[in-house]
Amino acid sequence: MLATTLTSSRIETRPNWAEVSLSALRHNFRVVQQHVGADVTICAVVKCNAYGHGVEECAPALEQAGAKWFGVTSTDEGVVLRECGVTGRILVLCGLYPGEEEEALRHSLTPAVFRLEQAESIARAAARLALAQRVAIHLKIDTGMARLGIPLTELEAFAEGVKRLPQIELEGVFSHLASSEVLDDEDTARQIERYEAALRTLANHRLHPPLRHLANSGAVAGRPNTWHNFVRPGLLLYGYEYAPSRHDGSPVTNVSALPLKPVLSWKTHILGLRDMPAGQPLGYGGAYVTPAPARIAAVSVGYGDGLSRKISVRNGHDPALCHIHPSVGHGEVLIRGQRSPIVGRVSMDLTLIDVTRIAGAAIGDEVVLIGRSGTEQISAWDMARCSDTVVYETLCNLSKRVPRRHAE
Ligand SMILES: Cc1ncc(COP(=O)(O)O)c(C=O)c1O
């Protein structure tokens, strides 16, 4: 049994909660640090409420484990970290919105920049605040993902411009890989080459940013040539890998999986239990009709909690005909250590489960959506596959109304 502490002050009446193991989180941080070696700094990516795990508890736990840097999306996420006592460096990965500069500097956040005007605005804010020290920034370069980042064609102008800003120190230069886990991906090889070329261009302008970073979790796991002296893993810290693969989809066998522990479990209860005759349509649209008499449990979870409606199960769903993934539409939960299928459409607050084969199933039984029950386990990746998405979305979608219970 996990000793749980309830971190939310609100009253919980609905049995639907996530258990977050801070010891597993700290373990994963140490596994990653050991993997990359002590000379490589880890920037623990805790954006989007620590991938749904609860940032106010997770970031301090990571700091305890030795994290010196944290990656967030925006200034407001960085301020939340400061308010919960994080003293380490905080990199704002998507940069600052115009007008936020003073707020970011007052909280000692480190902005990413991808346009010279951003660096100029930060320099003006630093002057207004009469800061004694130069403000460190990290330049984001677009090496091929075509999302955020300065194009290589504008790099020389940036380099000359930033040197004219005495308040600014170009501390870091980084880029993001589009397919880091696909080890034979040619576009990734080109991204890495462009990143190296960008470093050379900056060096030609006598700029040598000490922190160089490219690697997210996929690259941390399988591409040591991208580590430089700084890496930015998110997913690995929460206990999941995007298994390294090849372009044709085949797995890579010479990269060993890291000994990570999933950090989050998601649980609910059986709220109602009824015996249904054969031919009974279940739930919205009657999308599932009982083929034989069945015992059906209503459990307290729905898409309002973040359970994707795509996990709903219809009759006659043939995995062989599923064009997305054979498991899509084959959602399962664990009850009394056994796998039990979701039946019918997931609705906002309730989901139906066929418990005909679960001896003694009763109202109040624990239902595991993600996690272990007896010897069975459903991972967040399993749930993601059944919902036609990736584990990132499954974790981040866990909604606000699911209380997170953090256990040491
Ligand atoms: C810029 C950047 N770096 C690092 C990460 C962490 O990625 P991952 O969770 O795959 O490690 C992200 C996540 O989306 C990101 O946007």
Side-chain angles (χ1 to χ4, degrees):
M1 270 283 274
L2 282 174
T4 57
T5 48
L6 200 56
T7 46
S8 157
S9 55
R10 66 202 171 129
I11 299 165
E12 284 172 33
T13 53
R14 193 162 166 264
N16 182 326
W17 70 99
E19 290 171 3
V20 178
S21 165
L22 298 177
S23 60
L25 182 70
R26 285 189 287 259
H27 163 86
N28 295 337
F29 178 85
R30 288 190 286 266
V31 165
V32 174
Q33 187 71 76
Q34 210 168 12
H35 178 66
V36 296
D39 295 341
V40 177
T41 299
I42 294 175
C43 177
V45 177
V46 293
K47 60 188 180 150
C48 196
N49 195 27
Y51 289 37
H53 291 64
V55 75
E56 293 173 35
E57 294 78 14
C58 290
L62 287 163
E63 196 157 46
Q64 258 178 13
K68 300 275 186 284
W69 278 84
F70 297 87
V72 297
T73 303
S74 52
T75 298
D76 50 356
E77 286 191 358
V79 170
V80 168
L81 255 64
R82 289 292 179 232
E83 285 171 351
C84 66
V86 167
T87 57
R89 300 284 304 274
I90 299 174
L91 180 59
V92 182
L93 292 163
C94 288
L96 310 183
Y97 290 94
E100 285 181 348
E101 295 81 4
E102 288 190 24
E103 175 80 345
L105 299 188
R106 269 193 225 100
H107 288 90
S108 303
L109 307 183
T110 302
V113 299
F114 35 90
R115 283 192 301 270
L116 183 60
E117 309 91 84
Q118 293 174 308
E120 290 168 344
S121 301
I122 294 165
R124 284 194 295 276
R128 284 195 300 277
L129 294 174
L131 296 183
Q133 285 179 333
R134 292 200 294 162
V135 177
I137 61 168
H138 288 218
L139 176 63
K140 181 163 191 179
I141 296 181
D142 177 19
T143 53
M145 194 154 171
R147 210 171 53 164
L148 277 188
I150 188 167
L152 291 182
T153 48
E154 294 172 22
L155 194 55
E156 300 210 41
F158 178 91
E160 284 310 306
V162 82
K163 284 197 295 192
R164 289 195 287 270
L165 303 173
Q167 299 87 350
I168 299 291
E169 177 202 354
L170 184 61
E171 180 189 42
V173 58
F174 74 107
S175 190
H176 196 48
L177 300 173
S179 308
S180 60
E181 71 287 354
V182 185
L183 295 188
D184 60 353
D185 184 58
E186 288 175 10
D187 288 334
T188 306
R190 275 192 284 276
Q191 280 198 273
I192 295 169
E193 278 166 25
R194 287 186 198 120
Y195 180 74
E196 306 292 342
L199 292 179
R200 287 194 295 276
T201 302
L202 292 173
N204 290 341
H205 288 263
R206 298 186 313 286
L207 287 171
H208 306 277
L211 301 179
R212 300 175 298 282
H213 44 116
L214 254 185
N216 66 340
S217 289
V220 167
R223 294 178 177 275
N225 64 330
T226 62
W227 295 350
H228 293 272
N229 57 359
F230 197 94
V231 292
R232 305 184 311 268
L235 191 64
L236 292 176
L237 302 176
Y238 307 103
Y240 290 100
E241 285 198 55
Y242 216 127
S245 63
R246 294 187 205 291
H247 226 227
D248 62 7
S250 61
V252 172
T253 48
N254 61 347
V255 177
S256 56
L258 296 171
L260 304 170
K261 297 181 183 172
V263 171
L264 180 141
S265 308
W266 185 13
K267 297 179 179 172
T268 182
H269 279 182
I270 294 182
L271 192 62
L273 198 56
R274 292 183 53 199
D275 289 313
M276 300 294 185
Q280 173 67 49
L282 301 177
Y284 282 118
Y288 183 92
V289 179
T290 50
R295 177 157 266 218
I296 302 298
V299 304
S300 283
V301 66
Y303 57 76
D305 304 295
L307 184 68
S308 170
R309 204 165 166 274
K310 285 194 180 160
I311 209 167
S312 304
V313 178
R314 308 183 304 274
N315 293 95
H317 180 92
D318 181 351
L321 297 179
C322 178
H323 64 287
I324 307 167
H325 189 283
S327 54
V328 172
H330 276 252
E332 288 180 323
V333 299
L334 303 177
I335 298 172
R336 297 186 177 224
Q338 290 179 64
R339 292 180 176 271
S340 322
I342 292 173
V343 282
R345 287 202 178 119
V346 170
S347 53
M348 191 184 294
D349 311 315
L350 292 168
T351 297
L352 299 176
I353 311 292
D354 186 336
V355 295
T356 313
R357 289 186 305 125
I358 311 290
I363 288 176
D365 273 4
E366 187 174 273
V367 176
V368 175
L369 300 152
I370 296 174
R372 278 185 183 284
S373 177
T375 54
E376 292 285 353
Q377 183 172 16
I378 293 178
S379 73
W381 251 128
D382 297 332
M383 180 180 274
R385 285 192 195 98
C386 291
S387 321
D388 181 28
T389 188
V390 288
V391 65
Y392 297 84
E393 189 180 3
T394 294
L395 292 171
C396 290
N397 273 359
L398 209 65
S399 83
K400 228 176 163 176
R401 79 172 180 183
V402 178
R404 276 55 162 185
R405 297 178 181 177
H406 294 89
E408 282 302 319

